[in-house]
Amino acid sequence: MKNPGSPRERLKLFARATAAATLVAGALIGVTATAGTAGAATSEPCDIYASGGTPCVAAHSTTRALYATYNGPLYQVRRGSDNTTRDIGLLSAGGYADAAAQDSFCAGTSCVITIIYDQSGRNNNLTQAPGGGAAGGPDNLANATAAPTTVGGHKAYGVYIPPGTGYRNNHTNGIATGDNPEGMYAIFDGSHYNGGCCFDYGNAETDSNDDGNGTMEAIYFGNIKVWGYGAGNGPWIMADLENGLFSGVNQHYNANDPTINYRYTTAIIKGGPNHWAIRGGNAQSGSLSTFYDGARPNVSGYNPMRKQGAIILGTGGDNSKGAQGTFYEGVMTSGYPSDATENAVQDNITAAGYSNSSGGGGTTGALHAVGAGKCLDVPNASTTAGTQLQIWDCSGGANQTWTRTSANELTVYSGGAQLCLDAYNKQTSPGTKVETWPCNGGANQQWQVNANGTVTGVQSGLCLDVTGASTANGALAELWTCNGQSNQQWSLN
């Protein structure tokens, strides 16, 4: 399935939950928390699924352990300078990713994610997707530093997937086939999506081809409307069942499948004989909602299902790879999980503490242009390096949310990618444009937010300035000699 589309980025920030994990019926697999700053809970998502009688058969995360006893690698990175690889593990058993190990290994060069390890013990690892019926390959690998996050107060990295990038395993162990029941959840960045086909995580064909209706069962996230769709403008959680994205029983509209774009979004699909469901919620707080729960689609070929048991991330079953998204964690189960089990998993997720705050004492908020009464804005939430910044009516969007880091950077999370406020080409003359650029620690990306309301470049000593003292939407930002005028006054809050 292919459908080109234009990316849209929207963001809602919700408070971090503090609830502890709920226990489902039966004894959970209890393990004493590991002492130290990265101590684990007594049960993690796959422990909860196991206690509910639907154990994980695949468990992928680049941010944390999904079992309380897991102490193996989460993922592997390869650096560009010498093509060597390193496994990135945990700070402690059942804990959080050792992001510092990645930062040290990748310092001064680029890194890509080569393997996302399966924590279930079944070796259902995800690696570079091969070519398929819809598009050639192998697919691109994800930039290992493009989706920074924090979880439990610890720095970690998600899997940032632009179009053309994908992971797959066509030779799996224990993944549901035929009409057998299964469940799956994933945590996505709800602000990073598009209308292309198809940003999926889940069950797909083992030959990377479109093998007909009912040969897939995967979570889809995005706002394509070629097949089924939900309420509003999207994005929606839907099921990719091959030759159709389904929001409900038919191949068209389901008013009960809402636009859902939390910064961290929990997405769930589960299916069994003539029965399937869509559920979702905010991965930072609150409970799950059910958007569909009923019979298989009323289109020929989906009852019974003909699932094949491969696993995909970031593409469609036939390697359609025009979509984009960001993945943090997800699992697949044997058996159809109960709502109670999934509710307990959601409690665990919200308690894990996903956040896009930088840590290190940083301040996050809109950077208000005091003279214009507007906000410093990344035009159209662009992810393109070198995009000149502008002022625009304040919207609360991610492309207007800036973080002052302990390294004196001003970072923005635009379109799912973290970028830095940057003085073009390290220039120090008045009129130098101010742009977004991947963070690199350079002096032209270091800024002083001063008590007098100015923001000055550490390298240039010049002030962040709205060109021509304009107050209009779209007025460009630049560096200029500090002059005390209102178009050089800023407030980060």
Side-chain angles (χ1 to χ4, degrees):
M1 295 181 290
K2 295 181 180 178
N3 185 67
S6 298
R8 297 164 51 96
E9 285 78 20
R10 300 171 62 194
L11 177 70
K12 292 181 181 179
L13 296 175
F14 284 75
R16 171 184 169 182
T18 57
T22 300
L23 303 184
V24 297
L28 292 177
I29 300 173
V31 179
T32 302
T34 303
T37 59
T42 57
S43 60
E44 298 297 352
C46 285
D47 304 314
I48 297 169
Y49 277 114
S51 74
T54 52
C56 294
V57 289
H60 305 108
S61 176
T62 57
T63 62
R64 66 176 184 137
L66 301 178
Y67 293 84
T69 57
Y70 186 75
N71 199 22
L74 297 179
Y75 60 104
Q76 182 188 86
V77 295
R78 184 181 70 220
R79 63 187 177 195
S81 58
D82 57 7
N83 285 326
T84 59
T85 61
R86 176 165 179 171
D87 287 346
I88 305 301
L90 296 159
L91 295 172
S92 64
Y96 306 103
D98 185 3
Q102 174 182 312
D103 290 341
S104 175
F105 182 75
C106 299
T109 186
S110 61
C111 272
V112 293
I113 297 173
T114 48
I115 303 172
I116 305 170
Y117 289 107
D118 171 26
Q119 300 179 31
S120 77
R122 291 177 175 268
N123 202 37
N124 289 324
N125 304 328
L126 295 174
T127 57
Q128 187 172 25
D139 294 356
N140 298 327
L141 293 169
N143 181 334
T145 61
T149 186
T150 61
V151 58
H154 298 272
K155 183 178 181 180
Y157 292 97
V159 185
Y160 181 84
I161 294 180
T165 299
Y167 294 81
R168 195 176 192 116
N169 186 331
N170 283 340
H171 305 284
T172 61
N173 175 9
I175 305 301
T177 59
D179 208 30
N180 290 321
E182 66 178 350
M184 61 195 80
Y185 86 82
I187 298 177
F188 300 136
D189 177 351
S191 70
H192 186 209
Y193 61 92
N194 69 3
C197 181
C198 288
F199 182 71
D200 291 347
Y201 172 73
N203 195 322
E205 298 94 334
T206 55
D207 60 2
S208 300
N209 290 311
D210 178 348
D211 290 333
N213 295 3
T215 55
M216 287 183 62
E217 186 167 62
I219 304 168
Y220 164 81
F221 187 73
N223 69 336
I224 194 170
K225 295 183 72 172
V226 171
W227 299 280
Y229 58 96
N233 295 318
W236 307 285
I237 302 167
M238 297 193 285
D240 191 341
L241 305 179
E242 192 54 276
N243 294 324
L245 299 175
F246 289 88
S247 61
V249 72
N250 60 47
Q251 205 163 13
H252 302 292
Y253 174 65
N254 175 14
N256 295 318
D257 192 16
T259 291
I260 183 167
N261 56 2
Y262 301 114
R263 172 61 179 80
Y264 297 92
T265 296
T266 305
I268 291 175
I269 296 291
K270 55 183 174 180
N274 200 26
H275 184 205
W276 72 288
I278 306 172
R279 306 187 78 203
N282 183 352
Q284 292 182 291
S285 65
S287 59
L288 295 171
S289 298
T290 300
F291 306 140
Y292 176 79
D293 188 346
R296 288 290 185 181
N298 56 8
V299 180
S300 176
Y302 299 101
N303 183 31
M305 294 286 286
R306 300 182 292 127
K307 294 175 282 193
Q308 295 187 13
I311 307 173
I312 54 173
L313 172 61
T315 72
D318 59 358
N319 200 42
S320 298
K321 51 184 179 180
Q324 64 185 25
T326 298
F327 171 90
Y328 299 102
E329 66 178 68
V331 312
M332 300 177 67
T333 73
S334 175
Y336 191 96
S338 69
D339 286 0
T341 297
E342 291 168 342
N343 293 344
V345 170
Q346 169 70 358
D347 288 342
N348 173 277
I349 290 168
T350 60
Y354 275 95
S355 173
N356 64 330
S357 62
S358 65
T363 300
T364 297
L367 191 56
H368 295 271
V370 175
K374 300 183 186 296
C375 283
L376 190 67
D377 176 282
V378 182
N380 300 313
S382 175
T383 61
T384 302
T387 298
Q388 187 168 5
L389 297 167
Q390 62 182 11
I391 58 169
W392 200 268
D393 292 332
C394 299
S395 66
N399 63 318
Q400 293 183 355
T401 302
W402 297 87
T403 296
R404 182 188 182 190
T405 75
S406 58
N408 291 322
E409 299 164 324
L410 285 166
T411 65
V412 64
Y413 202 84
S414 180
Q418 187 187 53
L419 299 166
C420 267
L421 186 73
D422 179 282
Y424 171 72
N425 203 28
K426 301 182 181 179
Q427 293 180 7
T428 59
S429 58
T432 296
K433 74 175 184 178
V434 177
E435 63 182 4
T436 57
W437 199 263
C439 301
N440 56 31
N444 64 317
Q445 294 185 352
Q446 296 176 21
W447 306 88
Q448 292 294 333
V449 180
N450 303 304
N452 66 0
T454 61
V455 176
T456 52
V458 170
Q459 181 185 51
S460 66
L462 300 174
C463 274
L464 180 64
D465 177 286
V466 180
T467 301
S470 174
T471 61
N473 279 337
L476 297 174
E478 64 179 3
L479 294 179
W480 200 261
T481 305
C482 298
N483 56 31
Q485 300 301 309
S486 64
N487 64 315
Q488 294 182 352
Q489 296 292 303
W490 303 88
S491 173
L492 177 62
N493 55 50

